[in-house]
Amino acid sequence: MGESGTTDNKCAGVDCQNVAGSLKCPTCLKIGKEACFCSQDCFRRSWTEHKAVHKTSSTVLYNPFPKFSFTGPLRPIYPLSPKRTVPDSIPHPPWSDDGDPKYKFVGRNTITVLDKKQQDRMRKVCRLAREVLDVAAREVKPGVTTDHIDEVVHNACIERESYPSPLNYVHFPKSVCTSLNEVICHGIPDQRMLLEGDIINLDVSLYHGGFHGDLNETYYVGAKAAANPDNVRVVETARECLDEAIKIVKPGMAFKDPGTVIERHAKTRNCSVIKTYCGHGINTLFHCAPNVPHYAKNKAVGIAKPGMTFTIEPMISLGTYKDKTWPDDWTSVTQDGSRTAQFEHTLLITEDGCEVLTARNADSPGGPVPMPEV
Protein backbone atom coordinates (compact mmCIF):
# COMPACT_ATOMS: atom_id res chain seq x y z
CA MET A 1 0.00 0.00 0.00
CA GLY A 2 1.10 3.52 -0.65
CA GLU A 3 1.27 6.01 2.18
CA SER A 4 1.57 9.76 2.50
CA GLY A 5 0.44 12.40 4.98
CA THR A 6 -2.37 11.67 7.39
CA THR A 7 -5.93 12.76 6.70
CA ASP A 8 -8.95 13.63 8.85
CA ASN A 9 -11.35 11.62 6.65
CA LYS A 10 -13.25 8.58 7.80
CA CYS A 11 -11.60 5.22 7.14
CA ALA A 12 -12.79 3.59 3.91
CA GLY A 13 -12.94 0.17 5.60
CA VAL A 14 -16.23 -1.70 5.65
CA ASP A 15 -18.23 -0.83 8.81
CA CYS A 16 -15.20 0.98 10.21
CA GLN A 17 -15.79 4.18 12.19
CA ASN A 18 -12.12 5.02 12.74
CA VAL A 19 -10.36 8.07 11.36
CA ALA A 20 -8.34 7.21 8.27
CA GLY A 21 -4.60 6.98 8.59
CA SER A 22 -1.92 7.49 5.95
CA LEU A 23 -2.43 4.12 4.21
CA LYS A 24 -3.95 4.40 0.75
CA CYS A 25 -5.27 1.77 -1.62
CA PRO A 26 -2.69 1.59 -4.45
CA THR A 27 -5.27 0.52 -7.03
CA CYS A 28 -7.41 3.54 -6.25
CA LEU A 29 -4.39 5.82 -6.66
CA LYS A 30 -3.71 4.20 -10.00
CA ILE A 31 -7.18 5.03 -11.32
CA GLY A 32 -7.23 8.54 -9.94
CA LYS A 33 -9.27 7.87 -6.79
CA GLU A 34 -8.31 7.98 -3.13
CA ALA A 35 -9.29 5.58 -0.37
CA CYS A 36 -7.56 5.83 3.00
CA PHE A 37 -7.59 3.15 5.69
CA CYS A 38 -6.85 3.16 9.39
CA SER A 39 -4.65 0.05 9.23
CA GLN A 40 -3.36 -2.79 7.07
CA ASP A 41 -5.71 -5.20 8.85
CA CYS A 42 -8.70 -3.03 8.05
CA PHE A 43 -7.66 -2.82 4.41
CA ARG A 44 -7.31 -6.61 4.13
CA ARG A 45 -10.61 -7.24 5.88
CA SER A 46 -12.42 -4.82 3.55
CA TRP A 47 -10.74 -5.90 0.31
CA THR A 48 -13.50 -8.15 -1.03
CA GLU A 49 -16.07 -5.37 -0.97
CA HIS A 50 -13.71 -2.47 -1.55
CA LYS A 51 -12.30 -3.82 -4.81
CA ALA A 52 -15.73 -3.36 -6.42
CA VAL A 53 -14.97 0.36 -6.42
CA HIS A 54 -12.22 -0.26 -8.93
CA LYS A 55 -14.58 -1.88 -11.42
CA THR A 56 -16.96 1.09 -11.34
CA SER A 57 -14.26 3.54 -12.31
CA SER A 58 -14.69 5.14 -15.71
CA THR A 59 -10.93 5.56 -16.05
CA VAL A 60 -9.41 2.97 -18.36
CA LEU A 61 -5.63 2.68 -18.17
CA TYR A 62 -3.81 1.97 -21.41
CA ASN A 63 -0.53 1.94 -23.27
CA PRO A 64 -0.78 4.71 -25.91
CA PHE A 65 1.90 3.11 -28.12
CA PRO A 66 0.99 -0.59 -28.31
CA LYS A 67 2.87 -1.17 -31.56
CA PHE A 68 6.08 0.57 -30.50
CA SER A 69 9.15 -1.61 -30.02
CA PHE A 70 10.10 -0.82 -26.42
CA THR A 71 13.69 -1.52 -25.44
CA GLY A 72 13.00 -2.54 -21.82
CA PRO A 73 10.16 -3.59 -19.53
CA LEU A 74 8.84 -0.09 -18.76
CA ARG A 75 5.61 1.03 -20.45
CA PRO A 76 3.73 4.33 -20.37
CA ILE A 77 0.41 4.14 -18.53
CA TYR A 78 -2.14 6.67 -19.73
CA PRO A 79 -4.33 8.69 -19.55
CA LEU A 80 -2.26 11.64 -18.45
CA SER A 81 -3.93 13.84 -15.89
CA PRO A 82 -5.17 17.25 -17.11
CA LYS A 83 -2.62 20.02 -17.52
CA ARG A 84 -2.00 21.70 -14.21
CA THR A 85 -2.45 25.46 -14.00
CA VAL A 86 -0.29 28.21 -12.52
CA PRO A 87 -1.95 31.32 -11.04
CA ASP A 88 -1.65 34.48 -13.13
CA SER A 89 -0.08 36.21 -10.13
CA ILE A 90 3.07 34.12 -10.63
CA PRO A 91 5.32 35.31 -13.50
CA HIS A 92 5.25 32.88 -16.43
CA PRO A 93 8.09 32.11 -18.88
CA PRO A 94 7.51 32.81 -22.59
CA TRP A 95 6.43 29.24 -23.44
CA SER A 96 3.64 28.98 -20.89
CA ASP A 97 0.90 29.63 -23.48
CA ASP A 98 2.04 28.14 -26.79
CA GLY A 99 5.09 26.03 -25.90
CA ASP A 100 7.51 28.23 -27.86
CA PRO A 101 10.51 29.46 -25.81
CA LYS A 102 10.78 32.44 -28.18
CA TYR A 103 14.49 32.74 -27.55
CA LYS A 104 16.24 35.24 -29.74
CA PHE A 105 19.24 33.81 -31.56
CA VAL A 106 22.32 33.82 -29.39
CA GLY A 107 25.64 32.63 -30.80
CA ARG A 108 26.83 29.39 -29.27
CA ASN A 109 30.02 31.14 -28.14
CA THR A 110 28.14 33.91 -26.33
CA ILE A 111 28.11 32.97 -22.65
CA THR A 112 26.36 35.32 -20.22
CA VAL A 113 28.25 36.66 -17.21
CA LEU A 114 25.94 37.62 -14.36
CA ASP A 115 26.46 40.64 -12.11
CA LYS A 116 26.19 40.39 -8.32
CA LYS A 117 22.46 41.13 -8.23
CA GLN A 118 21.76 38.54 -10.89
CA GLN A 119 23.91 36.00 -9.07
CA ASP A 120 21.82 36.52 -5.93
CA ARG A 121 18.65 35.87 -7.93
CA MET A 122 20.18 32.64 -9.21
CA ARG A 123 21.04 31.66 -5.65
CA LYS A 124 17.44 32.19 -4.60
CA VAL A 125 15.79 30.24 -7.40
CA CYS A 126 18.26 27.39 -6.99
CA ARG A 127 17.59 27.26 -3.26
CA LEU A 128 13.87 27.05 -4.01
CA ALA A 129 14.48 24.34 -6.59
CA ARG A 130 16.38 22.30 -4.02
CA GLU A 131 13.50 22.65 -1.58
CA VAL A 132 11.02 21.41 -4.19
CA LEU A 133 13.19 18.43 -5.16
CA ASP A 134 13.49 17.43 -1.51
CA VAL A 135 9.72 17.67 -1.05
CA ALA A 136 9.20 15.43 -4.08
CA ALA A 137 11.87 12.94 -3.03
CA ARG A 138 10.09 12.35 0.27
CA GLU A 139 7.15 11.00 -1.75
CA VAL A 140 9.25 8.29 -3.45
CA LYS A 141 7.97 4.94 -2.20
CA PRO A 142 6.34 1.85 -3.66
CA GLY A 143 2.69 2.36 -4.65
CA VAL A 144 2.98 6.06 -5.52
CA THR A 145 2.34 7.10 -9.12
CA THR A 146 4.66 9.40 -11.03
CA ASP A 147 1.63 11.60 -11.65
CA HIS A 148 1.29 12.03 -7.88
CA ILE A 149 4.91 13.17 -7.74
CA ASP A 150 4.17 15.66 -10.52
CA GLU A 151 1.25 17.05 -8.50
CA VAL A 152 3.47 17.38 -5.43
CA VAL A 153 6.16 19.21 -7.43
CA HIS A 154 3.62 21.50 -9.07
CA ASN A 155 2.02 22.47 -5.78
CA ALA A 156 5.40 22.99 -4.11
CA CYS A 157 6.39 25.38 -6.90
CA ILE A 158 3.16 27.34 -6.53
CA GLU A 159 3.68 27.56 -2.76
CA ARG A 160 7.03 29.22 -3.52
CA GLU A 161 5.49 31.61 -6.05
CA SER A 162 7.45 29.88 -8.80
CA TYR A 163 6.55 28.47 -12.21
CA PRO A 164 7.69 24.87 -12.89
CA SER A 165 9.99 25.49 -15.86
CA PRO A 166 9.28 22.22 -17.74
CA LEU A 167 5.53 22.86 -17.92
CA ASN A 168 4.66 23.38 -21.62
CA TYR A 169 8.33 23.93 -22.53
CA VAL A 170 8.27 22.85 -26.19
CA HIS A 171 4.91 21.30 -25.18
CA PHE A 172 6.23 19.09 -22.37
CA PRO A 173 2.95 18.28 -20.59
CA LYS A 174 4.04 18.10 -16.96
CA SER A 175 5.84 20.04 -14.21
CA VAL A 176 8.69 17.59 -13.54
CA CYS A 177 10.56 14.85 -15.40
CA THR A 178 10.26 11.40 -13.78
CA SER A 179 12.69 8.94 -15.38
CA LEU A 180 12.46 5.32 -14.24
CA ASN A 181 14.94 2.47 -14.73
CA GLU A 182 15.92 2.41 -18.45
CA VAL A 183 14.68 5.98 -19.02
CA ILE A 184 17.67 8.27 -19.50
CA CYS A 185 15.80 11.54 -19.14
CA HIS A 186 12.60 13.48 -19.91
CA GLY A 187 10.21 10.83 -18.59
CA ILE A 188 6.60 12.07 -18.54
CA PRO A 189 4.70 11.53 -15.27
CA ASP A 190 1.72 9.22 -15.79
CA GLN A 191 -0.32 6.57 -13.96
CA ARG A 192 2.60 4.15 -13.54
CA MET A 193 3.09 3.20 -9.90
CA LEU A 194 6.56 2.99 -8.39
CA LEU A 195 7.54 -0.58 -7.61
CA GLU A 196 9.89 -1.98 -5.00
CA GLY A 197 13.26 -2.27 -6.75
CA ASP A 198 12.83 0.65 -9.17
CA ILE A 199 15.21 3.56 -9.44
CA ILE A 200 13.79 6.96 -10.38
CA ASN A 201 15.33 10.27 -11.40
CA LEU A 202 13.45 13.43 -10.48
CA ASP A 203 14.45 16.47 -12.55
CA VAL A 204 13.14 19.70 -11.04
CA SER A 205 13.39 23.17 -12.57
CA LEU A 206 11.89 26.42 -11.31
CA TYR A 207 11.35 29.89 -12.75
CA HIS A 208 11.38 32.61 -10.09
CA GLY A 209 12.34 36.26 -10.18
CA GLY A 210 13.14 36.02 -13.89
CA PHE A 211 15.73 33.23 -13.46
CA HIS A 212 15.73 29.43 -13.71
CA GLY A 213 17.19 26.86 -11.31
CA ASP A 214 17.74 23.25 -12.38
CA LEU A 215 18.80 20.07 -10.56
CA ASN A 216 18.07 16.37 -10.42
CA GLU A 217 18.87 13.26 -8.41
CA THR A 218 18.23 9.54 -8.74
CA TYR A 219 16.57 7.71 -5.85
CA TYR A 220 16.13 4.09 -4.79
CA VAL A 221 12.52 2.90 -4.50
CA GLY A 222 12.41 0.73 -1.39
CA ALA A 223 15.05 -1.34 0.35
CA LYS A 224 15.12 -3.87 -2.48
CA ALA A 225 16.36 -1.22 -4.92
CA ALA A 226 19.22 -0.16 -2.65
CA ALA A 227 20.22 -3.80 -2.15
CA ASN A 228 20.53 -4.49 -5.89
CA PRO A 229 24.25 -4.32 -6.84
CA ASP A 230 23.57 -3.13 -10.40
CA ASN A 231 21.23 -0.38 -9.19
CA VAL A 232 23.85 0.79 -6.71
CA ARG A 233 26.63 0.63 -9.27
CA VAL A 234 24.87 2.84 -11.82
CA VAL A 235 23.36 5.27 -9.31
CA GLU A 236 26.50 5.79 -7.27
CA THR A 237 28.67 5.99 -10.37
CA ALA A 238 26.48 8.79 -11.71
CA ARG A 239 26.66 10.56 -8.35
CA GLU A 240 30.44 10.21 -8.23
CA CYS A 241 30.84 11.38 -11.84
CA LEU A 242 29.13 14.64 -11.01
CA ASP A 243 31.18 15.08 -7.85
CA GLU A 244 34.43 14.41 -9.70
CA ALA A 245 33.53 16.86 -12.47
CA ILE A 246 32.69 19.62 -10.00
CA LYS A 247 36.17 19.30 -8.48
CA ILE A 248 37.74 20.77 -11.64
CA VAL A 249 35.27 23.64 -12.11
CA LYS A 250 36.97 27.02 -11.74
CA PRO A 251 37.88 30.07 -13.83
CA GLY A 252 39.86 29.04 -16.88
CA MET A 253 38.33 25.58 -17.16
CA ALA A 254 37.46 24.60 -20.73
CA PHE A 255 33.86 23.46 -21.01
CA LYS A 256 35.06 20.36 -22.84
CA ASP A 257 37.06 19.19 -19.79
CA PRO A 258 34.31 17.81 -17.47
CA GLY A 259 33.50 15.18 -20.08
CA THR A 260 36.98 13.71 -19.83
CA VAL A 261 36.73 13.40 -16.06
CA ILE A 262 33.23 11.91 -16.21
CA GLU A 263 33.95 9.28 -18.85
CA ARG A 264 37.20 8.23 -17.19
CA HIS A 265 35.43 7.63 -13.88
CA ALA A 266 32.44 5.88 -15.46
CA LYS A 267 34.74 3.40 -17.17
CA THR A 268 36.30 2.43 -13.84
CA ARG A 269 32.82 1.21 -12.82
CA ASN A 270 32.22 -0.56 -16.14
CA CYS A 271 29.55 1.98 -17.08
CA SER A 272 29.02 4.07 -20.20
CA VAL A 273 28.16 7.76 -20.65
CA ILE A 274 25.12 8.91 -22.64
CA LYS A 275 26.32 11.26 -25.38
CA THR A 276 23.09 12.74 -26.76
CA TYR A 277 22.38 15.09 -23.86
CA CYS A 278 24.64 17.60 -22.15
CA GLY A 279 24.84 20.20 -19.42
CA HIS A 280 23.92 23.73 -20.40
CA GLY A 281 24.02 27.36 -19.51
CA ILE A 282 21.13 28.60 -17.39
CA ASN A 283 20.11 32.04 -16.16
CA THR A 284 17.19 34.09 -17.47
CA LEU A 285 17.11 31.45 -20.20
CA PHE A 286 16.25 27.84 -19.36
CA HIS A 287 18.84 26.45 -21.80
CA CYS A 288 21.64 28.45 -23.40
CA ALA A 289 25.41 28.51 -23.93
CA PRO A 290 27.66 26.90 -22.90
CA ASN A 291 27.11 23.26 -23.81
CA VAL A 292 28.84 20.94 -21.34
CA PRO A 293 29.16 17.41 -22.80
CA HIS A 294 29.72 14.51 -20.43
CA TYR A 295 31.98 12.36 -22.63
CA ALA A 296 35.66 12.57 -23.53
CA LYS A 297 37.07 14.02 -26.76
CA ASN A 298 34.10 16.35 -27.24
CA LYS A 299 34.35 19.63 -29.11
CA ALA A 300 32.63 21.99 -26.67
CA VAL A 301 33.78 25.60 -26.93
CA GLY A 302 34.29 28.23 -24.28
CA ILE A 303 36.24 28.93 -21.11
CA ALA A 304 34.71 29.37 -17.65
CA LYS A 305 34.75 32.88 -16.20
CA PRO A 306 33.48 34.26 -12.87
CA GLY A 307 29.75 35.01 -13.02
CA MET A 308 28.83 32.23 -15.47
CA THR A 309 26.11 29.78 -14.44
CA PHE A 310 25.56 26.36 -16.00
CA THR A 311 24.67 22.76 -15.22
CA ILE A 312 26.63 19.53 -15.24
CA GLU A 313 24.31 16.50 -15.36
CA PRO A 314 25.95 13.21 -16.37
CA MET A 315 23.70 10.37 -17.51
CA ILE A 316 25.31 7.00 -16.86
CA SER A 317 24.27 3.59 -18.21
CA LEU A 318 24.98 0.01 -17.17
CA GLY A 319 24.98 -0.90 -20.87
CA THR A 320 25.03 1.03 -24.12
CA TYR A 321 25.40 4.79 -24.41
CA LYS A 322 22.99 4.79 -27.36
CA ASP A 323 19.47 6.10 -26.87
CA LYS A 324 16.02 5.81 -28.41
CA THR A 325 13.02 8.12 -28.00
CA TRP A 326 9.46 6.97 -27.35
CA PRO A 327 6.68 8.22 -29.67
CA ASP A 328 5.75 10.87 -27.09
CA ASP A 329 8.82 12.72 -28.48
CA TRP A 330 10.25 13.16 -24.99
CA THR A 331 11.01 9.93 -23.13
CA SER A 332 14.59 8.88 -23.93
CA VAL A 333 15.61 5.29 -23.13
CA THR A 334 18.68 3.13 -23.60
CA GLN A 335 18.62 1.10 -26.80
CA ASP A 336 19.43 -2.11 -24.91
CA GLY A 337 17.01 -1.49 -22.04
CA SER A 338 19.81 -1.18 -19.49
CA ARG A 339 19.27 0.94 -16.42
CA THR A 340 20.56 4.48 -16.17
CA ALA A 341 21.03 7.12 -13.51
CA GLN A 342 21.66 10.85 -13.51
CA PHE A 343 22.58 13.66 -11.11
CA GLU A 344 22.62 17.41 -11.82
CA HIS A 345 23.67 20.64 -10.14
CA THR A 346 23.53 24.26 -11.21
CA LEU A 347 26.94 25.87 -10.69
CA LEU A 348 28.22 29.45 -10.43
CA ILE A 349 31.81 30.23 -11.34
CA THR A 350 33.45 32.26 -8.56
CA GLU A 351 36.78 34.07 -8.49
CA ASP A 352 38.65 31.00 -7.25
CA GLY A 353 36.39 28.01 -7.94
CA CYS A 354 32.67 27.38 -8.08
CA GLU A 355 29.58 27.53 -5.92
CA VAL A 356 27.09 24.65 -6.09
CA LEU A 357 23.86 26.64 -6.11
CA THR A 358 21.66 23.54 -5.78
CA ALA A 359 23.70 21.80 -3.08
CA ARG A 360 22.03 19.23 -0.83
CA ASN A 361 20.85 20.27 2.62
CA ALA A 362 21.66 18.33 5.78
CA ASP A 363 18.14 16.82 5.76
CA SER A 364 17.83 16.22 2.01
CA PRO A 365 16.39 12.76 1.24
CA GLY A 366 18.50 10.18 -0.54
CA GLY A 367 22.25 10.28 -0.42
CA PRO A 368 25.05 7.83 -1.17
CA VAL A 369 24.77 4.07 -0.68
CA PRO A 370 27.99 2.04 -0.29
CA MET A 371 29.26 0.69 -3.58
CA PRO A 372 29.05 -3.13 -3.73
CA GLU A 373 32.34 -4.98 -3.52
CA VAL A 374 33.46 -6.61 -6.74
Side-chain angles (χ1 to χ4, degrees):
M1 296 186 71
E3 61 178 333
S4 60
T6 59
T7 175
D8 294 330
N9 295 332
K10 179 177 175 293
C11 175
V14 177
D15 297 328
C16 182
Q17 302 301 317
N18 293 335
V19 173
S22 61
L23 298 175
K24 296 182 179 181
C25 171
T27 305
C28 284
L29 289 173
K30 196 172 181 181
I31 63 178
K33 294 189 174 185
E34 183 172 294
C36 298
F37 294 81
C38 63
S39 68
Q40 287 276 8
D41 288 340
C42 186
F43 175 73
R44 294 191 188 98
R45 177 175 55 80
S46 305
W47 175 248
T48 299
E49 294 184 41
H50 173 71
K51 66 182 181 181
V53 173
H54 308 148
K55 297 180 180 179
T56 63
S57 173
S58 60
T59 302
V60 177
L61 303 178
Y62 64 96
N63 173 2
F65 316 117
K67 296 183 179 180
F68 180 69
S69 180
F70 291 92
T71 64
L74 190 69
R75 299 291 183 273
I77 301 179
Y78 279 40
L80 299 183
S81 58
K83 180 183 176 182
R84 307 190 199 282
T85 59
V86 178
D88 292 338
S89 59
I90 294 176
H92 290 40
W95 55 83
S96 61
D97 289 330
D98 62 8
D100 181 2
K102 302 179 182 66
Y103 289 165
K104 295 181 180 180
F105 177 78
V106 178
R108 66 173 185 165
N109 297 336
T110 304
I111 304 174
T112 300
V113 173
L114 304 182
D115 61 29
K116 297 299 183 183
K117 183 177 181 180
Q118 292 171 324
Q119 291 175 31
D120 285 341
R121 289 185 178 180
M122 280 295 294
R123 288 187 178 94
K124 182 176 182 180
V125 69
C126 287
R127 174 178 58 79
L128 296 175
R130 163 54 66 182
E131 291 178 4
V132 172
L133 177 61
D134 287 354
V135 169
R138 293 186 179 99
E139 297 295 312
V140 171
K141 57 180 72 73
V144 168
T145 65
T146 52
D147 183 70
H148 170 72
I149 293 176
D150 179 73
E151 181 180 19
V152 168
V153 167
H154 187 88
N155 292 340
C157 290
I158 302 305
E159 290 170 3
R160 290 160 178 78
E161 298 184 338
S162 302
Y163 184 100
S165 301
L167 185 60
N168 210 36
Y169 180 77
V170 196
H171 306 292
F172 187 82
K174 294 296 175 182
S175 298
V176 64
C177 297
T178 54
S179 301
L180 282 153
N181 301 336
E182 69 264 28
V183 179
I184 298 166
C185 60
H186 303 155
I188 297 175
D190 61 14
Q191 306 307 320
R192 203 273 195 181
M193 293 172 56
L194 301 186
L195 304 177
E196 180 82 29
D198 285 339
I199 56 175
I200 183 171
N201 180 272
L202 304 181
D203 194 338
V204 167
S205 307
L206 266 67
Y207 180 67
H208 182 94
F211 288 78
H212 297 273
D214 192 5
L215 78 162
N216 72 58
E217 292 193 23
T218 301
Y219 302 92
Y220 301 97
V221 182
K224 183 179 177 181
N228 181 302
D230 283 338
N231 281 349
V232 175
R233 177 159 60 92
V234 72
V235 172
E236 300 308 322
T237 297
R239 191 193 312 271
E240 292 168 355
C241 282
L242 177 57
D243 291 344
E244 291 299 312
I246 290 174
K247 290 177 182 178
I248 71 166
V249 178
K250 61 183 179 180
M253 178 199 74
F255 286 112
K256 65 181 181 180
D257 290 347
T260 301
V261 172
I262 290 167
E263 184 166 326
R264 181 171 60 236
H265 187 73
K267 286 183 175 179
T268 68
R269 304 294 192 190
N270 196 27
C271 291
S272 61
V273 179
I274 305 300
K275 297 183 178 181
T276 302
Y277 306 97
C278 63
H280 54 87
I282 184 169
N283 39 67
T284 58
L285 302 180
F286 191 11
H287 298 97
C288 56
N291 286 338
V292 187
H294 304 121
Y295 57 92
K297 299 180 181 178
N298 66 77
K299 300 183 184 302
V301 297
I303 301 295
K305 297 179 181 179
M308 292 180 175
T309 48
F310 57 91
T311 71
I312 300 180
E313 46 188 294
M315 288 151 262
I316 305 301
S317 168
L318 286 172
T320 184
Y321 67 87
K322 296 181 180 180
D323 61 285
K324 181 178 182 178
T325 303
W326 283 3
D328 60 20
D329 293 329
W330 279 107
T331 306
S332 178
V333 297
T334 52
Q335 286 190 11
D336 60 1
S338 58
R339 291 196 170 192
T340 72
Q342 181 187 15
F343 288 82
E344 174 186 21
H345 277 309
T346 296
L347 309 172
L348 165 68
I349 297 293
T350 62
E351 293 297 330
D352 58 358
C354 77
E355 181 179 344
V356 181
L357 300 180
T358 49
R360 289 173 57 84
N361 297 317
D363 62 346
S364 291
V369 168
M371 188 72 71
E373 296 183 7
V374 180

Short mmCIF file of all heavy atoms in Angstrom, two decimals, residues 22 88 143 146 169 184 250 271 279 283 285:
data_model
loop_
_atom_site.label_atom_id
_atom_site.label_comp_id
_atom_site.label_asym_id
_atom_site.label_seq_id
_atom_site.Cartn_x
_atom_site.Cartn_y
_atom_site.Cartn_z
N SER A 22 -2.67 7.09 7.15
CA SER A 22 -1.92 7.49 5.95
C SER A 22 -1.90 6.40 4.88
O SER A 22 -1.36 6.62 3.79
CB SER A 22 -0.49 7.85 6.32
OG SER A 22 0.16 6.75 6.89
N ASP A 88 -2.15 33.35 -12.35
CA ASP A 88 -1.65 34.48 -13.13
C ASP A 88 -0.75 35.39 -12.31
O ASP A 88 0.07 36.14 -12.86
CB ASP A 88 -2.83 35.29 -13.69
CG ASP A 88 -3.61 34.53 -14.75
OD1 ASP A 88 -3.04 33.59 -15.34
OD2 ASP A 88 -4.78 34.88 -14.98
N GLY A 143 4.13 2.10 -4.64
CA GLY A 143 2.69 2.36 -4.65
C GLY A 143 2.30 3.76 -5.05
O GLY A 143 1.13 4.03 -5.32
N THR A 146 3.84 8.26 -10.61
CA THR A 146 4.66 9.40 -11.03
C THR A 146 3.80 10.64 -11.22
O THR A 146 4.28 11.76 -11.04
CB THR A 146 5.44 9.07 -12.31
OG1 THR A 146 4.55 8.57 -13.32
CG2 THR A 146 6.53 8.03 -12.05
N TYR A 169 7.09 23.60 -21.81
CA TYR A 169 8.33 23.93 -22.53
C TYR A 169 8.44 23.02 -23.75
O TYR A 169 8.58 21.81 -23.62
CB TYR A 169 9.54 23.75 -21.60
CG TYR A 169 10.87 24.05 -22.25
CD1 TYR A 169 11.28 25.37 -22.43
CD2 TYR A 169 11.72 23.03 -22.67
CE1 TYR A 169 12.51 25.66 -23.01
CE2 TYR A 169 12.94 23.31 -23.25
CZ TYR A 169 13.34 24.62 -23.43
OH TYR A 169 14.55 24.91 -24.01
N ILE A 184 16.50 7.41 -19.69
CA ILE A 184 17.67 8.27 -19.50
C ILE A 184 17.27 9.61 -18.93
O ILE A 184 17.85 10.12 -17.97
CB ILE A 184 18.42 8.45 -20.85
CG1 ILE A 184 18.92 7.10 -21.37
CG2 ILE A 184 19.55 9.45 -20.70
CD1 ILE A 184 19.35 7.14 -22.83
N LYS A 250 36.39 25.77 -12.23
CA LYS A 250 36.97 27.02 -11.74
C LYS A 250 37.23 27.93 -12.94
O LYS A 250 37.12 27.49 -14.09
CB LYS A 250 38.28 26.73 -11.01
CG LYS A 250 39.35 26.08 -11.88
CD LYS A 250 40.61 25.77 -11.07
CE LYS A 250 41.66 25.11 -11.96
NZ LYS A 250 42.90 24.80 -11.20
N CYS A 271 30.76 1.30 -16.63
CA CYS A 271 29.55 1.98 -17.08
C CYS A 271 29.87 2.85 -18.29
O CYS A 271 31.03 3.17 -18.55
CB CYS A 271 28.98 2.88 -15.97
SG CYS A 271 28.31 1.99 -14.55
N GLY A 279 25.10 19.07 -20.30
CA GLY A 279 24.84 20.20 -19.42
C GLY A 279 24.72 21.46 -20.24
O GLY A 279 25.07 21.50 -21.42
N ASN A 283 20.21 30.74 -16.83
CA ASN A 283 20.11 32.04 -16.16
C ASN A 283 18.69 32.57 -16.37
O ASN A 283 17.74 31.95 -15.89
CB ASN A 283 21.20 33.01 -16.65
CG ASN A 283 21.46 32.90 -18.14
OD1 ASN A 283 20.60 33.24 -18.96
ND2 ASN A 283 22.65 32.43 -18.52
N LEU A 285 17.50 32.45 -19.21
CA LEU A 285 17.11 31.45 -20.20
C LEU A 285 17.22 30.07 -19.57
O LEU A 285 18.15 29.79 -18.80
CB LEU A 285 18.01 31.52 -21.43
CG LEU A 285 18.06 32.86 -22.17
CD1 LEU A 285 19.00 32.78 -23.38
CD2 LEU A 285 16.67 33.30 -22.62
#
